[in-house]
Amino acid sequence: MLDGVYNERIRHTGLRSRLVSAEEAASLIEDGMTVGMSGFTRAGEAKAVPMALAARARTRPLKITLMTGASLGNDLDKTLTEAHVLARRIPFQSDPALRKAINRGEVMFIDQHLSETVEMLRTRQLPRVDVAVIEAVAITENGGIVPTTSVGNSASFAILAEKVIVEINLSQPAELEGLHDIYIPTYRPNRMPIPVVTPESRVGLPFIPIPPEKIAAIVVTEKLDSSATILDPDEDTRAIAGHLTEFLLHEVRAGRLDQTLQPLQAGIGTIANAVLHGFIDTPFHDLKMYSEVLQDSTFDLFDAGKLRFASGSSITLSARKYQEVLSRLSDYKPRLILRPQEISNHPEVVRRLGLICINTALEFDIYGNVNSTHVTGTQMMNGIGGSGDFARNAYLSVFVTKSIAKHGAVSSVVPMVSHVDHTEHDVDILVTEVGLADLRGLAPRERAATILANCVHPDYQPMLQDYVARACQRGGHTPHVLEEALSWHVRLAETGRMA
């Protein structure tokens, strides 16, 4: 019986002899190597080989550069960090243990736009991938690798690597095959346009095409993806969703949109998920998504009859939604595509499709500059992810956040952000539970007045109003009191509160 399952999942007969243990496969990874692993926002990561590598490193130390699509699940980053395996990590992470090691300077973290990593690999601006470790649902008759719940950078890692280790995950449903659209751009400077013209466009293959002789080892696993931590909408996130809905209805009334809107993109996390969920109770209909992560709200919108199609790079769900979606995958499959992240996030495609992009800010300032990565300017949280890919090229670039954090100790609206990920030039709309600031067509002083009137928590409004008034008295196109611009962050570091 088990042999029959293996034969269905490993259809290239010549590759079945390469079945090995996770420990044997991990032995192909040596000290100093660059390793590309599948995985994008806790979905579709290789699960057994990294753990075997960490176990080996505890007795025989080694260091690697680890590249992924985005964050890994199943505590892999934590385990690899605690085993001191990671010398460098690219391009995104979300693990608390790894975050601490990065901020201590023990792991060199290269924070990149998610569309750029494999572009730099192809042009040899980054070290070549020695070994790729890719989770798959199957290997085709010709040796093609069929990914599981994410594509991320897996396709290019496998194509560019010297050797490939494939983890066949039997817990992932075979019905995933056919969901993927693997398209690799041609080389620059004579690159052909990427032929994605709607979210539904299928332009590639349903598997990663590599010569089968590159597959050096196959490991069989049966471990599920980690579930996402998605909190239910609360009063603040419902307010944020309400402000954004009212703004979009205004755009419809003004004739700039119709009730199908433009294709939607939303970043990972509770706030973005709650904002998308809010579209269920609106007159918008026949919506489409062209995003990187498909979260619970994507499938809630499908079930509510609001969403027609969704394109992404991974499916990342809560524990409850994970079981529900996988058990009904055949119902959703005709309306889904998973792509490589360099296509889901590609500026050319984002600009062509005219997306409404909704991403989350840690903080923003009076002119609309956004910090999405660093607490008080120095402590890395997760990374820029895909927000920059989308924000700069969006039809509408929206950033959302609650107006305060840490029970009111921190204002999310500050005189000057302590770290800039998205400049004011790439930010159209800012939304907190207090209100919405439409910054389109406004000069810096007008932007400051609009943000002050609409987005600031009442506890911090007098302080910010005083700062803006004194800054404008000093003059300048973008007025600041430079010696006080970061004083709120300094006060937070010294006293634990910005107020």
Side-chain angles (χ1 to χ4, degrees), residues 151-437:
V151 180
N153 284 326
S154 298
S156 288
F157 288 160
I159 290 167
L160 297 171
E162 292 291 305
K163 295 178 180 178
V164 180
I165 300 168
V166 179
E167 288 194 8
I168 299 290
N169 190 335
L170 300 181
S171 73
Q172 299 279 20
E175 289 79 13
L176 285 167
E177 187 164 358
L179 189 65
H180 312 89
D181 188 54
I182 309 300
Y183 177 87
I184 305 298
T186 52
Y187 276 70
R188 296 180 290 200
N190 301 310
R191 173 176 291 173
M192 297 299 293
I194 296 170
V196 174
V197 295
T198 70
E200 303 98 312
S201 296
R202 280 194 171 272
V203 298
L205 299 169
F207 55 83
I208 300 168
I210 64 168
E213 57 268 21
K214 284 183 64 172
I215 298 177
I218 300 172
V219 177
V220 174
T221 70
E222 293 190 65
K223 193 164 190 177
L224 296 173
D225 287 340
S226 295
S227 55
T229 304
I230 300 293
L231 303 178
D232 290 332
D234 60 19
E235 183 179 349
D236 288 342
T237 55
R238 280 192 289 268
I240 291 169
H243 296 316
L244 184 56
T245 296
E246 184 53 44
F247 165 76
L248 292 172
L249 287 170
H250 176 269
E251 294 295 288
V252 172
R253 291 191 291 270
R256 289 186 283 267
L257 292 170
D258 62 30
Q259 289 192 342
T260 64
L261 304 178
Q262 294 286 109
L264 302 170
Q265 177 268 331
I268 189 75
T270 293
I271 296 179
N273 188 72
V275 169
L276 276 185
H277 190 274
F279 281 91
I280 291 174
D281 300 316
T282 69
F284 305 129
H285 58 85
D286 292 316
L287 301 172
K288 297 180 183 179
M289 289 187 70
Y290 191 87
S291 195
E292 52 186 4
V293 183
L294 306 181
Q295 300 185 81
D296 286 22
S297 55
T298 302
F299 297 91
D300 292 336
L301 288 167
F302 274 138
D303 293 342
K306 292 288 186 177
L307 187 63
R308 286 180 55 194
F309 199 90
S311 168
S313 193
S314 79
I315 297 173
T316 301
L317 303 171
S318 67
R320 174 187 59 82
K321 206 68 179 177
Y322 186 86
Q323 295 299 330
E324 182 184 323
V325 168
L326 290 190
S327 67
R328 295 177 51 204
L329 191 58
S330 59
D331 296 335
Y332 296 115
K333 190 173 174 180
R335 297 177 285 169
L336 290 173
I337 286 178
L338 292 183
R339 309 180 190 275
Q341 68 195 66
E342 65 172 319
I343 305 301
S344 67
N345 293 39
H346 201 289
E348 173 195 339
V349 180
V350 173
R351 181 66 64 92
R352 178 186 298 132
L353 297 183
L355 305 186
I356 296 173
C357 298
I358 305 164
N359 290 286
T360 304
L362 285 179
E363 63 178 4
F364 58 84
D365 67 23
I366 57 176
Y367 299 115
N369 299 292
V370 171
N371 171 17
S372 59
T373 59
H374 286 75
V375 176
T376 61
T378 61
Q379 300 295 304
M380 169 59 69
M381 279 292 290
N382 301 332
I384 194 169
S387 55
D389 296 324
F390 290 103
R392 176 158 287 190
N393 300 285
Y395 167 78
L396 277 175
S397 173
V398 181
F399 281 90
V400 297
T401 187
K402 295 184 179 184
S403 66
I404 54 174
K406 302 295 182 185
H407 307 290
V410 175
S411 173
S412 302
V413 191
V414 294
M416 179 185 283
V417 287
S418 56
H419 177 91
V420 182
D421 291 295
H422 312 281
T423 75
E424 60 192 273
H425 312 289
D426 301 331
V427 179
D428 298 319
I429 309 294
L430 293 169
V431 196
T432 70
E433 79 284 0
V434 177
L436 180 146

